[in-house]
Amino acid sequence: MDQQPVAPLQAWPPGDSQMARLVRAHDWAATPLGAIETWPMELRSSAAFVLENRFPAALVWGPGLVTIYNDAFRPILGEKPEALGRSFADIWREAWDEIAPMVEGAFDGRSTFIEDFPLLIDRSGRPEQAYFTFSYSPVRTGDGLVAGMIDTVVETTAHVQRAAAIKRSEEQFRAFVTASSDVVYRMSPDWSEMRRLDGQGAVSDAQPANAAWMADYIPAEDVPEVRAAIARAIETGTMFELEHRVRNSDGTLAWTISRAVPIKDADGNVVEWLGAASDVSERRHAEDRARLLAAVVQSSDDAIITKDLDGVITSWNAGAERLFGYAAEEIVGRPVTVLMPPGREVEEPLILERIRRGEPIEHHETMRMRKDGTAFDVSLTISPVRDHAGTIIGASKIARDITERKRAEKLVEMLAMEAEHRTKNVFATVMATVRLTEADTVEDLRSLLEGRVRALSDVHGLFVKSRWSGADVGAIVRQELLPYRQQRGGRVVLEGPPLMAETASAQALAIIIHELVTNASKYGALSDAAGRVHVEWAEIEGDRLELRWVEAGGPSVTPPTKSGFGTSIMEQMTAARDGTIEFAWDRGGLACTVVLPK
């Protein structure tokens, strides 16, 4: 009798994520990958692995570099045109010169991991500088050939920009100096006329007298404040003092602190004002920078600490309080070694020795300890602090918690290894199935292989749902018997509790059930409208599972005179898992009992 129609494959890839839906809807036949139904198992497994991953990841496959990515990867693409199914080189064409060698390396079998890699990309209609930490990992077929790569990536642009801003502020702080110059001037009693000014090269000299001095030297927006200060000095007869802006001889503006005292005659009348002005532009700019630096330091998510050359903490920002758990009043004045786990104290003398030599220390990765005693991964950037004479008086330290980065690095490595491991296991199982498949004709061989590989594909769909912990025995049975369970009359009866089989046993069981269904549809109970199949399963002693298949109501059967191809593969698949399989033929139909490790 002809073989019954095979049940349609479950929608693939499974899942309700946005990208899983887009992959299902995509016209893959128009891409170099071809229709999903034709994809090799390595491609399907790798794509499912990427789509289910919550870490930003993309699969790049084949010579055409066809790209499949997950929901977490979408923000990295920004407003780029839809990238699904397109060439990785086309998606990132603006940065291809930089990343192409690493992609080629992955397809040559070499993994790449790089941190804070700068790329000029276009994802919003304009070029932007971005930074990424990513890994390119080759994906191999069972014969060891590289068919694709997995790109796991996290964008670090904000982190790099924050670090650069802090570094610039540190450089400004180290470069801070003060300078001043004095300008001497004489003013009329009512300040209407500047009688003389010696600008010392900074501002234009005034000689002879200048009645338009206000317009020449004072910016218009500052005039009201200057006039008010002059009026107060004239009214009280006391010193004029004001910090204000002046126009230099080259047209630029500078800040000055100006002081003038009244010169009086014998009768106490003011006859002149004698003044001096000092350029405080550098101080004003320094104050602005210091305020900016203080704001950056105080608002920074990183811990920023200063210490003297004895290793005693002298300042402590809010980021340090959040990171270490100490308030400033608790920790300032204490040795920095209180932040070091036991055994790490030996680092401090070496750090101080380098600081005394004026050597900065960048991105030193080590361990530090919080107030509650917990240790954590940290990256330290330490710079010498100098006084006005250039003498090193201490160090500034930026401490950055890299626990999550370290965890991400381990996760990336683990995911790459897991992807390779799973791909090899899938290929090994398929190859074993192919080796064990025999037939009398090429057409029979093709049909048998299609059915067995489809059974493996279906059980791998169950693995994906369980995150590769195994598959439920009932689900495997229901999948294979679906066409007959949908028929009326209760031809198929399934009984058994929820029972997980690990991946190897599940794959063996999928092949065995497939062979039993195929045999029953051709020769047994499922080939006759009155035939019935009863399948039951349970967990038995020794951490094993037992499945019993019983046919009834079908054509009379007799024991075969020799072991057929289907029986042979069932026996060999069972034996490979250290299991047993028994067949019993009577006039009512075949009964089969399978025992496998659970």
Side-chain angles (χ1 to χ4, degrees):
M1 180 175 291
D2 293 339
Q3 183 175 348
Q4 295 292 322
V6 178
L9 284 175
Q10 182 182 6
W12 190 93
D16 194 39
S17 68
Q18 182 177 2
M19 290 311 303
R21 294 194 298 269
L22 290 175
V23 170
R24 288 195 292 270
H26 195 75
D27 182 13
W28 292 104
T31 74
L33 298 186
I36 282 183
E37 294 79 8
T38 68
W39 288 8
M41 288 301 300
E42 294 93 337
L43 173 54
R44 290 168 65 94
S45 297
S46 299
F49 169 75
V50 165
L51 290 170
E52 290 197 349
N53 200 331
R54 295 185 179 180
F55 199 86
L59 173 66
V60 181
W61 195 267
L65 305 179
V66 179
T67 304
I68 301 171
Y69 54 93
N70 60 13
D71 285 5
F73 194 86
R74 290 181 67 86
I76 294 174
L77 295 169
E79 299 175 11
K80 280 180 173 290
E82 177 56 55
L84 183 64
R86 288 171 52 205
S87 166
F88 198 67
D90 181 50
I91 296 168
W92 299 108
R93 59 182 178 273
E94 71 274 23
W96 189 242
D97 288 345
E98 288 77 15
I99 64 176
M102 290 177 279
V103 172
E104 293 170 0
F107 276 80
D108 287 339
R110 301 188 302 275
S111 295
T112 294
F113 176 78
I114 191 165
E115 293 181 276
D116 299 334
F117 189 75
L119 288 175
L120 190 64
I121 62 174
D122 182 357
R123 56 181 172 185
S124 58
R126 57 181 178 79
E128 65 175 292
Q129 182 67 62
Y131 296 84
F132 301 92
T133 292
F134 59 88
S135 172
Y136 289 167
S137 303
V139 177
R140 300 177 185 273
T141 60
D143 56 6
L145 297 177
V146 177
M149 77 170 197
I150 290 180
D151 172 16
T152 46
V153 58
V154 61
E155 183 169 356
T156 59
T157 303
H159 165 76
V160 171
Q161 290 174 342
R162 283 199 304 271
I166 291 172
K167 185 176 180 180
R168 286 195 299 270
S169 295
E170 279 189 325
E171 290 171 351
Q172 289 173 348
F173 180 80
R174 289 194 298 267
F176 174 79
V177 294
T178 60
S180 63
S181 60
D182 293 330
V183 174
V184 179
Y185 60 90
R186 293 166 53 199
M187 305 297 296
S188 64
D190 62 359
W191 287 69
S192 61
E193 181 181 80
M194 179 176 284
R195 295 177 173 174
R196 181 167 180 166
L197 183 143
D198 184 356
Q200 298 192 8
V203 296
S204 300
D205 294 343
Q207 189 179 9
N210 180 6
W213 68 271
M214 187 81 74
D216 289 345
Y217 294 110
I218 309 299
E221 57 269 30
D222 293 358
V223 167
E225 184 181 12
V226 173
R227 288 192 183 279
I230 291 172
R232 287 194 300 271
I234 293 174
E235 181 181 356
T236 60
T238 57
M239 184 175 68
F240 165 86
E241 183 174 13
L242 182 66
E243 195 166 299
H244 61 89
R245 294 185 300 169
V246 297
R247 187 175 293 108
N248 286 327
S249 56
D250 61 2
T252 60
L253 295 179
W255 280 94
T256 184
I257 182 166
S258 179
R259 298 182 180 92
V261 294
I263 305 299
K264 299 179 180 180
D265 60 15
D267 296 327
N269 298 314
V270 176
V271 295
E272 190 174 54
W273 292 83
L274 181 60
S278 299
D279 188 343
V280 294
S281 298
E282 286 299 322
R283 176 176 63 76
R284 289 292 296 242
H285 296 326
E287 289 173 354
D288 290 341
R289 289 195 296 269
R291 280 192 293 271
L292 174 62
L293 177 59
V296 170
V297 168
Q298 195 61 24
S299 63
S300 173
D301 289 334
D302 294 326
I304 301 178
I305 305 164
T306 60
K307 62 183 178 181
D308 62 22
L309 292 179
D310 293 323
V312 175
I313 296 169
T314 56
S315 71
W316 187 264
N317 78 333
E321 183 171 339
R322 288 190 295 270
L323 183 60
F324 291 100
Y326 291 96
E329 56 269 20
E330 292 180 282
I331 197 70
V332 171
R334 297 178 65 183
V336 74
T337 50
V338 301
L339 306 176
M340 299 179 180
R344 295 279 182 172
E345 301 91 340
V346 294
E347 296 178 6
E348 185 60 11
L350 300 176
I351 291 173
L352 289 175
E353 181 181 347
R354 292 184 61 180
I355 292 299
R356 289 189 181 96
R357 294 199 300 264
E359 298 177 12
I361 300 170
E362 296 187 1
H363 307 303
H364 172 58
E365 295 187 3
T366 182
M367 300 289 293
R368 287 297 179 259
M369 186 169 60
R370 296 187 174 91
K371 182 180 179 180
D372 62 9
T374 58
F376 63 99
D377 292 298
V378 67
S379 174
L380 302 179
T381 297
I382 310 171
S383 303
V385 173
R386 302 173 186 269
D387 64 12
H388 67 281
T391 303
I392 296 172
I393 58 173
S396 66
K397 177 187 299 184
I398 298 174
R400 188 169 299 118
D401 187 349
I402 58 172
T403 303
E404 289 303 318
R405 196 200 79 196
K406 288 288 188 180
R407 186 177 294 117
E409 290 174 359
K410 292 178 182 177
L411 178 61
V412 168
E413 181 180 1
M414 180 190 72
L415 292 176
M417 294 175 62
E418 184 68 11
E420 182 178 10
H421 173 71
R422 289 179 182 176
T423 301
K424 288 181 177 179
N425 282 350
V426 169
F427 191 74
T429 303
V430 171
M431 289 303 296
T433 303
V434 171
R435 285 196 299 271
L436 295 174
T437 300
E438 301 180 46
D440 292 324
T441 68
V442 172
E443 182 60 28
D444 287 346
L445 180 63
R446 183 189 66 79
S447 178
L448 286 172
L449 283 175
E450 284 182 354
R452 291 168 182 174
V453 171
R454 188 179 300 111
L456 288 174
S457 175
D458 290 345
V459 79
H460 276 80
L462 298 176
F463 293 163
V464 170
K465 292 180 179 178
S466 70
R467 296 187 179 277
W468 289 81
S469 62
D472 181 69
V473 174
I476 299 172
V477 176
R478 285 189 290 271
Q479 240 175 202
E480 287 295 326
L481 284 167
L482 181 62
Y484 305 100
R485 289 175 55 233
Q486 293 174 338
Q487 297 175 4
R488 295 181 179 180
R491 300 190 63 195
V492 175
V493 177
L494 307 181
E495 291 184 89
L499 181 59
M500 289 295 290
E502 55 86 28
T503 54
S505 290
Q507 291 176 124
L509 194 59
I511 294 295
I512 292 169
I513 297 297
H514 172 76
E515 293 301 319
L516 289 171
V517 171
T518 300
N519 183 71
S521 67
K522 289 182 177 180
Y523 315 111
L526 298 180
S527 68
D528 191 308
R532 300 181 306 281
V533 173
H534 183 195
V535 185
E536 59 181 347
W537 60 88
E539 183 176 0
I540 61 175
E541 293 182 3
D543 199 26
R544 301 169 80 81
L545 65 87
E546 180 182 71
L547 181 139
R548 183 166 173 76
W549 170 287
V550 179
E551 300 179 23
S556 298
V557 297
T558 57
T561 58
K562 64 177 182 178
S563 178
F565 298 143
T567 304
S568 177
I569 193 172
M570 288 190 283
E571 290 174 341
Q572 292 186 59
M573 293 291 281
T574 305
R577 290 295 300 135
D578 192 26
T580 62
I581 185 167
E582 297 178 357
F583 301 96
W585 286 269
D586 60 32
R587 300 186 64 82
L590 169 66
C592 176
T593 301
V594 181
V595 177
L596 289 169
K598 184 168 76 70

